[in-house]
Amino acid sequence: MTATSEPLVSMQGLKKHFDVSPPWLNRMLERKPRLHLRAVDGLDLEIPRGTTFSLVGESGCGKSTVARLVVGLYAPTAGSIRFEGTDLTDRPAGDPPAIRRRMQMIFQDPYASLNPRWRVRDIIAEPLKCFGMLPDRASEDREVGRLLELVGMNSQDGEKYPHEFSGGQRQRISIARAISSKPDFLVCDEPTSALDVSVQAQILNLMKELQRELGLTYLFISHDLAVVHFMSDFIGVMYLGRIVETGPARQVFANPQHPYTRLLLDTIPDITMARRDREPVAGEVPNPIDPPPGCAFHPRCPFSDARCRSELPELRNAPSGARTACHAVAEGRLADGPVRAVPSTPAQMPT
Amino acid sequence: MKQSGPLLEVRDLSVVFDTRRGPLTAVDRISFDLSPGEILGVVGESGAGKSLTGTAITGLLERPGRIGGGEIRFEGNRIDNLPPEQMRRLRGRRIGAIFQDPLTSLNPLFTVGRQLVETIQTHLDLGREQARQRALELLAEVGIPAPEKRIDHYPHQFSGGMRQRVVIALALCANPKLVIADEPTTALDVSIQAQILAVLKKLCREHGAAVILVTHDMGVIAETADRVAVMYSGRIAEIGPAAQVVKAPRHPYTEGLMGSIPVIGTGADRLTQIEGSMPRLTDIPAGCAFHPRCPCARADCAAVRPEPRPVGDGKVACVLYDGGGI
């Protein structure tokens, strides 16, 4: 995944650990240990300008944490985040303003991410005010009207409140707010997963159009592989805080290497393969507080051996052109054909 | 049980909500049949009335909602007008239900085993030990590892997928003839979703239970259902064999719905878009409810509500097929 020019956004060795220890008194009296949840555990990625990079994975794999780290809502435990070469690590959200103006976020739930007591015009104008981009209210009104029309709404809708709109329209308002400060980079955290399919199609089409017209770069987060396939140029498949496979979307979908990617692609319900008895993936995502040693996927992996149980695989170039973190792929002991999951499933108990 | 004839017949069923501004019709004169052992998928977007249809059949409608008209026949007998006590006995024993959120369908204060034993003893004439034995068998059937240990655990000790397995075990414990599954996999991850659907399909086949699978996920329907009913604004737009509805949709709404789903392996740069959104219950348009959004709408669409007509192996409610069908 080497772009000819400098990537717009890059992350090196990015980690975010959450302290989920029991309270101090319990640790002292009951001798309970400190516990850390490793939500993101060493992530390297580069997002070339003007492209869509998607992170995909099941719940709890750390994809939303990455989104929050990138825009500065969380401070990373280790590693660095760069935007056009400027190091943003350990800078609070909003600093430096010249760069923060250029990155915005679209959230999953359009019902929770718009202030119900603000008029739509004030919601959309807030970034303009924050960054002091327009001199007076009249030009602000004109800009809000233009943005509303850009996202397919009526310029008169600015006087209304969010509750007067449906979920799809609210997500359009979120998008208008996100693009109001003329950003280059949008972080979209499951922007359509709360919407119905026909509305999802409208929003995805709108996002693609805006990308073309405004030259936007997206970090797109989703658990829906079909949506990711539609949107992405590059893709990273996450499992338990790490990227297990990354590369150009076309190649990863056409020729998935990592057993987890292959299992995911095998299990998604597909409307074109009606009545196919699909092979369910056995097992569940392990607890990130106490991940398995070695490769985190080995308890569910049909190709695991002694090395997988002890040694953490690094991302390496795979023959397909993607990069894969898998010993079996590196050693070439991966059989072709459909992946059969290991049948035995140890019961997963939250602690 | 009669061998011939449908297991469930729904005729002109309406569900109405009484509000201060007058009644709102959420389900509007829908009819369908369900054969024994058949899996019928009910799809539609939020607010299409698919969950209410399931709720009406189980007799769990809550005020201000009520059945506004029509008939529901189960094994030939009307069940829409049964007194609550009789309906309660039917529900659970003959009709099982699985809901979307597995955490709220289980009581957090009781062990899984206690809830299973209680349900089994309510419906079947079994002693405590026998009921526990039956509960163990059921847990093993739905694929819970080490059931003899897990039976004494509380719901919070199970993961989402395992909880939904327990809920399926609860729904099946009296060997019902009909299971109503309302979005059973929506709260789960894709890989877990596949496991749950496989369990649901296998067990219903083994127990000979028919299933009404309510979901908004077309992929789930395409893989699981024998027949599909597509709902829009409280009406059935199209009903027919799953392969026909999914691969060769006839109703313009179904066609748009199918086109709006991204599919892996196609190089499409744009998804088919149905403009606008589903009307609110307060202003459902006259005539065909879909006509303001329909690319094929004609003048008469706004005047007459189309009745479902036989097309192919299914039925479509659209003027395009009013000219005699096939």
Side-chain angles (χ1 to χ4, degrees), chain A residues 173-229:
Chain A
I173 296 169
S174 300
I175 293 173
R177 172 178 63 183
I179 59 174
S180 67
S181 66
K182 302 205 163 33
D184 298 301
F185 179 53
L186 281 189
V187 176
C188 320
D189 189 1
E190 306 255 16
T192 60
S193 56
L195 306 175
D196 277 316
V197 277
S198 73
V199 181
Q200 166 172 288
Q202 295 171 2
I203 298 295
L204 293 179
N205 283 340
L206 173 68
M207 288 180 65
K208 275 202 147 180
E209 275 159 29
L210 290 174
Q211 180 169 44
R212 259 196 307 272
E213 283 167 28
L214 308 174
L216 295 169
T217 306
Y218 289 142
L219 173 62
F220 190 88
I221 303 213
S222 180
H223 66 276
D224 187 330
L225 281 162
V227 168
V228 163
H229 176 266

Side-chain angles (χ1 to χ4, degrees), chain B:
Chain B
M1 198 197 99
K2 284 180 293 181
Q3 275 306 307
S4 59
L7 177 75
L8 181 78
E9 291 165 83
V10 175
R11 288 284 166 273
D12 291 325
L13 175 71
S14 296
V15 175
V16 173
F17 283 83
D18 292 315
T19 68
R20 264 180 294 173
R21 289 181 202 152
L24 292 179
T25 309
V27 174
D28 195 359
R29 288 186 286 131
I30 63 165
S31 304
F32 62 88
D33 288 342
L34 187 68
S35 311
E38 187 183 33
I39 301 182
L40 174 74
V42 179
V43 274
E45 300 180 84
S46 332
K50 47 192 198 305
S51 288
L52 281 174
T53 306
T55 318
I57 294 167
T58 43
L60 288 173
L61 278 178
E62 278 175 28
R63 291 185 61 195
R66 61 179 171 86
I67 292 181
E71 281 184 14
I72 305 169
R73 285 177 182 274
F74 180 71
E75 295 179 334
N77 307 313
R78 271 188 81 165
I79 58 165
D80 53 299
N81 53 3
L82 282 183
E85 187 48 39
Q86 274 185 34
M87 192 62 212
R88 210 162 65 93
R89 255 177 283 153
L90 191 70
R91 188 168 55 228
R93 186 174 320 177
R94 311 292 292 162
I95 303 179
I98 300 168
F99 299 102
Q100 175 169 352
D101 184 354
L103 191 53
T104 49
S105 2
L106 294 170
N107 188 332
L109 297 177
F110 296 135
T111 62
V112 159
R114 181 162 166 189
Q115 298 183 52
L116 275 166
V117 167
E118 185 190 331
T119 315
I120 293 168
Q121 286 193 306
T122 309
H123 297 300
L124 304 176
D125 189 20
L126 288 178
R128 210 174 163 70
E129 262 319 298
Q130 286 167 298
R132 194 180 156 87
Q133 201 49 47
R134 174 102 182 96
L136 278 173
E137 285 165 23
L138 277 165
L139 287 178
E141 264 189 90
V142 294
I144 289 182
E148 51 295 329
K149 208 171 102 202
R150 298 293 266 166
I151 191 167
D152 293 319
H153 284 172
Y154 288 88
H156 77 269
Q157 292 170 298
F158 290 79
S159 65
M162 286 296 157
R163 262 180 228 142
Q164 199 61 301
R165 288 171 195 261
V166 173
V167 173
I168 294 177
L170 269 173
L172 289 177
C173 66
N175 272 326
K177 281 290 152 231
L178 172 65
V179 173
I180 304 209
D182 190 354
E183 305 267 9
T185 58
T186 306
L188 306 173
D189 275 319
V190 271
S191 71
I192 309 300
Q193 183 179 319
Q195 299 172 3
I196 296 299
L197 286 175
V199 167
L200 188 66
K201 234 165 114 174
K202 179 175 141 268
L203 288 191
C204 291
R205 203 180 295 145
E206 284 170 10
H207 290 238
V211 183
I212 295 184
L213 179 65
V214 175
T215 175
H216 66 276
D217 190 330
M218 271 299 184
V220 167
I221 289 283
E223 289 200 4
T224 318
D226 301 308
R227 279 196 312 144
V228 185
V230 181
M231 289 191 71
Y232 185 82
S233 276
R235 302 160 189 190
I236 292 181
E238 179 165 0
I239 183 166
Q244 181 183 316
V245 175
V246 170
K247 288 209 175 117
R250 309 286 169 95
H251 195 286
Y253 173 65
T254 323
E255 218 179 312
L257 195 64
M258 291 300 165
S260 68
I261 302 169
V263 176
I264 291 176
T266 55
D269 196 40
R270 216 184 137 75
L271 300 166
T272 314
Q273 205 165 304
I274 313 175
E275 299 300 336
S277 51
M278 194 150 62
R280 295 183 184 197
L281 287 184
T282 44
D283 45 22
I284 292 179
C288 170
F290 185 59
H291 84 262
R293 302 173 72 190
C294 184
C296 323
R298 306 194 306 223
D300 51 342
C301 290
V304 192
R305 175 181 162 181
E307 292 302 320
R309 308 268 173 201
V311 179
D313 295 327
K315 282 183 178 173
V316 182
C318 178
V319 285
L320 293 178
Y321 300 95
D322 254 7
I326 314 181

Side-chain angles (χ1 to χ4, degrees), chain A residues 6-328:
Chain A
E6 186 191 27
L8 186 69
V9 178
S10 65
M11 295 158 222
Q12 266 90 41
L14 193 64
K15 288 187 184 182
K16 178 66 190 175
H17 295 181
F18 293 99
D19 191 343
V20 289
S21 311
W24 175 83
L25 199 62
N26 298 60
R27 293 207 304 275
M28 291 300 118
L29 295 178
E30 297 162 19
R31 298 188 181 281
K32 287 195 173 161
R34 274 198 166 273
L35 290 175
H36 290 275
L37 189 153
R38 290 188 246 168
V40 177
D41 202 19
L43 199 74
D44 299 298
L45 63 88
E46 290 183 350
I47 308 175
R49 197 180 294 272
T51 63
T52 302
F53 188 102
S54 292
L55 282 177
V56 63
E58 296 179 277
S59 15
C61 72
K63 38 189 206 306
S64 290
T65 308
V66 175
R68 288 167 169 261
L69 284 166
V70 174
V71 292
L73 292 173
Y74 286 149
T77 309
S80 69
I81 302 164
R82 284 169 178 275
F83 185 87
E84 271 189 344
T86 313
D87 195 341
L88 296 178
T89 323
D90 297 330
R91 298 256 198 142
D95 181 68
I99 283 183
R100 294 299 179 182
R101 175 188 70 73
R102 296 172 56 199
M103 46 209 298
Q104 291 289 348
M105 190 159 177
I106 302 170
F107 297 90
Q108 171 171 4
D109 185 351
Y111 293 84
S113 56
L114 301 177
N115 189 332
R117 301 174 69 167
W118 283 22
R119 287 183 196 276
V120 166
R121 84 159 294 286
D122 296 319
I123 292 172
I124 296 176
E126 197 191 10
L128 299 170
K129 287 204 184 86
C130 282
F131 296 110
M133 295 176 72
L134 291 172
D136 52 39
R137 197 171 163 93
S139 49
E140 232 176 65
D141 280 335
R142 270 199 304 279
E143 180 64 8
V144 167
R146 188 187 71 85
L147 287 164
L148 279 170
E149 279 171 15
L150 194 62
V151 297
M153 292 179 69
N154 193 316
S155 56
Q156 307 304 312
D157 288 338
E159 290 310 309
K160 296 184 183 165
Y161 287 93
H163 75 261
E164 297 174 64
F165 297 97
S166 67
Q169 288 171 315
R170 282 181 213 214
Q171 204 58 304
R172 287 176 193 268
I173 296 169
S174 300
I175 293 173
R177 172 178 63 183
I179 59 174
S180 67
S181 66
K182 302 205 163 33
D184 298 301
F185 179 53
L186 281 189
V187 176
C188 320
D189 189 1
E190 306 255 16
T192 60
S193 56
L195 306 175
D196 277 316
V197 277
S198 73
V199 181
Q200 166 172 288
Q202 295 171 2
I203 298 295
L204 293 179
N205 283 340
L206 173 68
M207 288 180 65
K208 275 202 147 180
E209 275 159 29
L210 290 174
Q211 180 169 44
R212 259 196 307 272
E213 283 167 28
L214 308 174
L216 295 169
T217 306
Y218 289 142
L219 173 62
F220 190 88
I221 303 213
S222 180
H223 66 276
D224 187 330
L225 281 162
V227 168
V228 163
H229 176 266
F230 175 70
M231 289 297 291
S232 322
D233 300 299
F234 299 98
I235 162 177
V237 181
M238 282 189 78
Y239 191 75
L240 233 58
R242 294 177 153 267
I243 286 189
V244 295
E245 180 157 7
T246 180
R250 193 180 292 254
Q251 281 169 22
V252 172
F253 278 101
N255 189 7
Q257 294 293 307
H258 196 283
Y260 180 60
T261 317
R262 291 163 64 171
L263 281 171
L264 268 188
L265 282 169
D266 274 356
T267 40
I268 44 167
D270 188 346
I271 58 166
T272 57
M273 285 181 255
R275 303 288 289 156
R276 171 177 59 115
D277 276 312
R278 56 186 154 145
E279 189 65 38
V281 192
E284 300 179 359
V285 180
N287 190 340
I289 294 173
D290 182 24
C295 171
F297 186 61
H298 85 255
R300 297 170 81 185
C301 182
F303 305 107
S304 64
D305 64 6
R307 188 178 172 206
C308 298
R309 286 189 281 277
S310 58
E311 188 188 330
L312 189 69
E314 296 293 325
L315 272 176
R316 284 187 206 91
N317 289 326
S320 67
R323 286 162 64 76
T324 312
C326 178
H327 294 311

